[in-house]
Amino acid sequence: MGRKSNGNDGFWLTEKSDRARLRDAENARRNRAEITKALSHGKISRRDLVKWGLFTTGGLMLPIGGLSPFVRPVHAASFSSGGSGSCEPMPTGLPPSPTFGVQAFTAPMPRFDVLPRSAPSILNPGPTVESNQTQQSVDPALVGGQTGLTGPIEGRPPGPNWAHQRYAEFQPQVAIEVVTKPGTTNTVYNPGVTSDLNSGINQNSPFPPAFNPNFPVQNANRVWTFNGTFPPKLMQSRYGEPVLFRHHNALPTDITDNGGFGRYTLTTHEHNGHHGAENDGFTGAYFWPNEFYDYHYPWTLAGFTTINTDAIDPRAGSPTDAGGILNVPGDWHETMSTHWFHDHMFTFTDQNVYKCNAGMNNIYSSLDRGNESLKDGFNLLLPSGTEKSWGNLDYDVNLMLADKAWDSNGQLTMDILAFEGFLGDQMTVNFAWKPFFNVYARRYRFRILNASVSRFFALALSDSSNMVQIANDGNLLPLTVNLPQTDQLGIAERYDIVIDFSRYTAGQTVDLVNLQQMSNGQLPGPVLSVSEALGGGSCDPCVGPFLRFNIIGPPPAADQSLDVSGGGKGVTLIPNPTLPTVVRQRTFTFDDFAQITTNDPVTTYTGSGPWGIGTNNDGGSFGGGSALKADFGRLSSQPGFGTCEEWTLQGGFNWDHPIHIHFEEGQIISRNGNPPSPAESGRKDVYRLRPDGKVVLRMQFRDWNGMFMMHCHNTMHEDNAMLLRWDVNSGGSPSVNPLPTPISKPTGVTFEAPDEILPNA
Ligand SMILES: [Cu+2]
């Protein structure tokens, strides 16, 4: 069973800690910096760290004085997990992040920056069904100094197996073009709302990449974001309107120019899009600086090949510009609303997402229109606005929560050796440190995303008043839930919450509070009460209020949105789809002390990280064998095309893994033998296991083909190496089975046979 904490992790240092401890931590940080630099530059491997005796094979840093900030004198006080006591702990593995004398809640929270939607004709060159293999010269820095080499302009793997599926049927109608590049000032910020709805921010003022206007601006190599800028980016999509998302990689070709963390290769996952694997950001299908990758998002409802194929049900539909509904095929019970997108680079996802390479995507449908006044019997009238026929953002607000840490110069920093999980000591919302947000006294919808590396949250209002949860992950709930505080929000999970500010008057404030105490990155600690969290006694600096709502007065127009509280009883939003007969059951165990059975230098995890997944008792200590470390050339499962399977996910003692299964939404059948709670009774794409927890879920494998993933979304665990590949088995048509593994190089993607196919795959 899972290993217990070694007692050396989970210590916070605060600015009040004694000087000797802080000095030791700073010295340890400096010594570790040399190692992490070499590691992040690819000059040494994680395996070398074990060889040199710095790490155990289990991935724990040995307590070597002068290297580990966790080495403490014998007389040091032991860690108190309660709300008070000595605050020694320091899970960042770094000295405390300074706040430069700035007070919390003095700077506005920026709304997301809406990505322009263009006609596909603006794309040059035009998109192609198969990857565009037009050659260009390769920067020698990418190929060990070799000159005269050429590579493709598009990094998508070539050939028919990676061609856009059903492209002719779902011709792109909208182009969204983005560039991931080093941090720079935003001069084209578009919040999609007027300034009064954006806390007074003037969108025409240059917006530098800083976590607060009075903090230092981030150096170019510390943040790598979509379009290189803050705030985070928002896509707006509609069902029935296929999008061509062209993603350019403009990161430095010098692998060492990364500010100490982050890898210059990219692969972007639209979490949790239902589309072919060529568009899914497969972890091994990464692309290089100076290349682009065309992702084709068809925006189809799951089941479109077998259910409502004639598109006769307007509940399966898309909002038209004229305020009507465009019917689309598929199951309306599968309608999704709140997604995000982020890098998925093999073994570097944690660093690249932490570097701010993440955005969100709102998907609009006939049910979830982004218009609160169009009453046609289908629109659910969720808080949004009325001006546009669809996609109003006035009262529909994206919140990206992430803990961060920065060095004494205010530059974003990370302990990439914290294999058990990395925690920051500062809270950010939409890349802003502890901001305020001005609201009118009416209902607002907040689409809340946990974009942390390893941190869990639990949210409440500072006056303990009720909120209404309307969605879990991408999906509107069967029945809304009134709650004074949320369940734990695992990494990558999304909760859509409606807060009714009409109970407040102008000049009042109420804070969003994090109740979830963490003392290490392996699992959440206790959820504190609101008064404990507000009391300031927690050792965890990210506990407490982190976003202040200032109520500025009555709304300019009457609130026409649905009262989703249903008078305390909840209201019906989207009932669950009916699941077909289960054709196969599988068990996966999420474990440590994992083995690596393959040795392909490209596809195989070669580090010292402890994590792995056991499949169907082919591995995993729960089944008597061993969990396996990630190899994207290994095929762990091959569910049949068009089938429904039941998967049991088993977690370990003293760990909590939020497990993400790509491709289609599932339904939790049971959690430790009990039915799921009301707030997780809808469809899900991330399944939080909880310590020693067992989740049984059912999901379908239909409509599209290819290779997909399942992994822990504690991205430190994912990258070290709790990730597996599964392929849809379509019987050889349209794509071959098993699919060859893509091997990405600056000179082009080649293929090789799978390294391993597990016996029960
Ligand atoms: Cu995990």
Side-chain angles (χ1 to χ4, degrees):
M1 302 291 272
R3 188 183 54 237
K4 283 189 182 179
S5 161
N6 69 342
N8 263 337
D9 48 1
F11 299 118
W12 296 100
L13 288 180
T14 71
E15 290 177 271
K16 291 185 204 119
S17 301
D18 74 65
R19 279 163 190 274
R21 294 293 315 283
L22 289 170
R23 195 181 55 233
D24 287 351
E26 175 53 29
N27 287 339
R29 186 199 65 78
R30 210 171 290 140
N31 295 340
R32 289 152 67 86
E34 292 305 309
I35 296 172
T36 54
K37 202 159 63 175
L39 187 65
S40 88
H41 295 171
K43 297 209 170 102
I44 58 171
S45 74
R46 291 176 236 212
R47 189 169 277 168
D48 292 329
L49 298 175
V50 181
K51 214 160 54 192
W52 299 339
L54 297 174
F55 266 79
T56 66
T57 49
L60 289 172
M61 177 169 245
L62 291 168
I64 298 164
L67 197 57
S68 170
F70 303 131
V71 176
R72 310 193 301 158
V74 285
H75 60 267
S78 62
F79 172 55
S80 157
S81 63
S84 58
S86 64
C87 284
E88 305 259 11
M90 191 188 111
T92 59
L94 303 163
S97 307
T99 49
F100 306 98
V102 178
Q103 295 300 305
F105 315 122
T106 55
M109 178 194 83
R111 304 283 298 261
F112 272 54
D113 186 7
V114 181
L115 287 169
R117 294 155 44 92
S118 308
S121 58
I122 66 140
L123 295 173
N124 182 22
T128 51
V129 181
E130 287 188 16
S131 173
N132 189 334
Q133 294 293 295
T134 303
Q135 296 292 296
Q136 61 183 352
S137 57
V138 172
D139 188 319
L142 295 173
V143 282
Q146 291 181 77
T147 55
L149 296 180
T150 65
I153 58 172
E154 182 175 3
R156 178 164 48 120
N161 288 329
W162 288 78
H164 294 308
Q165 296 170 47
R166 295 179 177 266
Y167 190 75
E169 197 178 332
F170 298 105
Q171 291 271 343
Q173 295 173 26
V174 168
I176 295 177
E177 197 166 20
V178 298
V179 188
T180 290
K181 58 183 183 182
T184 185
T185 293
N186 191 347
T187 56
V188 292
Y189 175 33
N190 173 24
V193 294
T194 50
S195 181
D196 62 314
L197 294 162
N198 198 20
S199 302
I201 293 173
N202 176 1
Q203 69 177 84
N204 298 315
S205 296
F207 199 109
F211 296 108
N212 178 283
N214 292 310
F215 286 2
V217 171
Q218 294 300 303
N219 294 336
N221 63 9
R222 293 298 176 121
V223 294
W224 289 347
T225 76
F226 290 101
N227 291 346
T229 57
F230 282 13
K233 301 296 172 271
L234 178 66
M235 248 196 280
Q236 292 189 291
S237 310
R238 284 188 279 193
Y239 278 100
E241 185 177 61
V243 169
L244 197 295
F245 183 84
R246 176 163 292 178
H247 188 181
H248 298 270
N249 183 338
L251 292 175
T253 55
D254 175 358
I255 198 170
T256 68
D257 188 11
N258 68 348
F261 59 100
R263 185 50 58 98
Y264 57 23
T265 37
L266 299 170
T267 171
T268 297
H269 175 50
E270 203 289 328
H271 178 139
N272 190 46
H274 183 64
H275 45 226
E278 68 279 5
N279 308 307
D280 198 50
F282 183 71
T283 192
Y286 48 85
F287 62 110
W288 296 78
N290 303 324
E291 294 180 345
F292 68 87
Y293 193 122
D294 276 354
Y295 297 96
H296 175 227
Y297 303 140
W299 295 122
T300 55
L301 286 168
F304 75 95
T305 53
T306 53
I307 296 171
N308 183 33
T309 51
D310 295 332
I312 52 170
D313 188 338
R315 290 173 296 185
S318 176
T320 68
D321 292 336
I325 293 174
L326 168 74
N327 288 5
V328 301
D331 186 350
W332 65 273
H333 302 89
E334 297 284 2
T335 303
M336 300 189 284
S337 296
T338 303
H339 282 194
W340 67 304
F341 55 100
H342 61 83
D343 183 58
H344 217 303
M345 173 66 201
F346 187 58
T347 74
F348 289 93
T349 298
D350 55 343
Q351 299 176 34
N352 285 354
V353 175
Y354 182 75
K355 233 168 158 65
C356 300
N357 203 40
M360 289 184 79
N361 180 24
N362 297 351
I363 308 157
Y364 300 93
S365 57
S366 58
L367 308 175
D368 191 359
R369 299 279 258 284
N371 180 302
E372 65 187 36
S373 64
L374 271 171
K375 297 189 174 71
D376 59 8
F378 303 107
N379 184 9
L380 291 168
L381 304 171
L382 299 173
S384 44
T386 58
E387 189 190 329
K388 293 183 282 188
S389 57
W390 66 280
N392 288 291
L393 295 170
D394 300 19
Y395 309 108
D396 179 355
V397 184
N398 294 78
L399 301 182
M400 182 188 286
L401 314 188
D403 55 336
K404 303 283 182 194
W406 40 82
D407 62 20
S408 56
N409 298 316
Q411 295 298 315
L412 187 67
T413 188
M414 178 181 186
D415 181 1
I416 64 175
L417 301 179
F419 298 157
E420 301 197 347
F422 171 78
L423 298 175
D425 63 348
Q426 297 292 346
M427 274 298 294
T428 65
V429 188
N430 299 355
F431 304 156
W433 174 74
K434 291 190 179 170
F436 69 80
F437 184 58
N438 291 347
V439 294
Y440 289 110
R442 54 152 289 154
R443 282 186 282 273
Y444 278 71
R445 171 188 189 164
F446 294 98
R447 306 186 193 231
I448 306 175
L449 162 70
N450 181 349
S452 298
V453 174
S454 305
R455 181 177 285 281
F456 292 64
F457 298 104
L459 306 174
L461 290 170
S462 50
D463 62 2
S464 302
S465 60
N466 261 358
M467 308 176 284
V468 186
Q469 184 167 351
I470 63 169
N472 193 322
D473 290 345
N475 311 297
L476 293 174
L477 286 168
L479 185 67
T480 64
V481 183
N482 290 271
L483 29 74
Q485 68 184 65
T486 68
D487 191 3
Q488 291 168 316
L489 180 70
I491 301 102
E493 285 190 300
R494 284 131 286 141
Y495 292 163
D496 285 21
I497 300 288
V498 171
I499 300 175
D500 187 351
F501 295 105
S502 69
R503 57 186 176 241
Y504 304 103
T505 55
Q508 286 190 300
T509 67
V510 63
D511 293 344
L512 198 56
V513 181
N514 178 28
L515 309 176
Q516 179 63 67
Q517 177 165 290
M518 305 282 291
S519 55
N520 59 57
Q522 67 192 43
L523 82 170
V527 175
L528 305 182
S529 69
V530 171
S531 59
E532 281 174 326
L534 293 176
S538 173
C539 289
D540 179 348
C542 288
V543 162
F546 62 90
L547 173 61
R548 174 154 298 166
F549 298 114
N550 294 328
I551 291 84
I552 55 173
D559 183 351
Q560 300 188 61
S561 70
L562 177 70
D563 176 8
V564 287
S565 73
K569 297 195 182 100
V571 298
T572 297
L573 294 179
I574 302 183
N576 279 336
T578 308
L579 290 166
T581 308
V582 168
V583 302
R584 175 139 188 200
Q585 294 173 306
R586 301 175 194 266
T587 297
F588 300 92
T589 53
F590 295 82
D591 208 351
D592 52 3
F593 296 111
Q595 308 296 306
I596 188 76
T597 53
T598 54
N599 58 13
D600 184 293
V602 178
T603 65
T604 303
Y605 175 82
T606 56
S608 58
W611 309 106
I613 306 174
T615 302
N616 270 346
N617 302 330
D618 290 338
S621 59
F622 303 105
S626 289
L628 299 177
K629 292 185 184 186
D631 173 359
F632 67 80
R634 181 198 302 123
L635 244 163
S636 292
S637 304
Q638 301 184 81
F641 181 87
T643 68
C644 177
E645 295 199 355
E646 182 174 277
W647 289 12
T648 297
L649 313 181
Q650 173 71 58
F653 168 74
N654 221 15
W655 307 98
D656 191 351
H657 302 296
I659 303 303
H660 174 40
I661 307 178
H662 287 220
F663 189 47
E664 191 172 325
E665 314 301 281
Q667 290 177 45
I668 297 177
I669 303 303
S670 68
R671 174 181 281 288
N672 294 342
N674 301 312
S677 73
E680 61 175 12
S681 290
R683 294 155 291 137
K684 289 282 292 168
D685 60 55
V686 177
Y687 309 90
R688 219 164 352 103
L689 301 188
R690 304 180 190 270
D692 217 11
K694 180 201 254 187
V695 171
V696 179
L697 65 100
R698 290 182 190 165
M699 69 177 278
Q700 301 185 69
F701 305 86
R702 50 184 170 171
D703 305 327
W704 305 99
N705 276 292
M707 57 183 67
F708 297 93
M709 290 170 281
M710 172 164 70
H711 60 88
C712 182
H713 226 298
N714 178 329
T715 45
M716 250 322 164
H717 298 180
E718 168 186 343
D719 291 338
N720 292 290
M722 193 174 259
L723 174 146
L724 63 72
R725 161 186 165 188
W726 56 269
D727 289 13
V728 175
N729 186 349
S730 59
S733 172
S735 46
V736 296
N737 284 102
L739 280 162
T741 305
I743 306 296
S744 179
K745 303 186 198 91
T747 50
V749 180
T750 57
F751 296 96
E752 60 181 36
D755 296 331
E756 185 179 20
I757 300 176
L758 291 183
N760 294 320

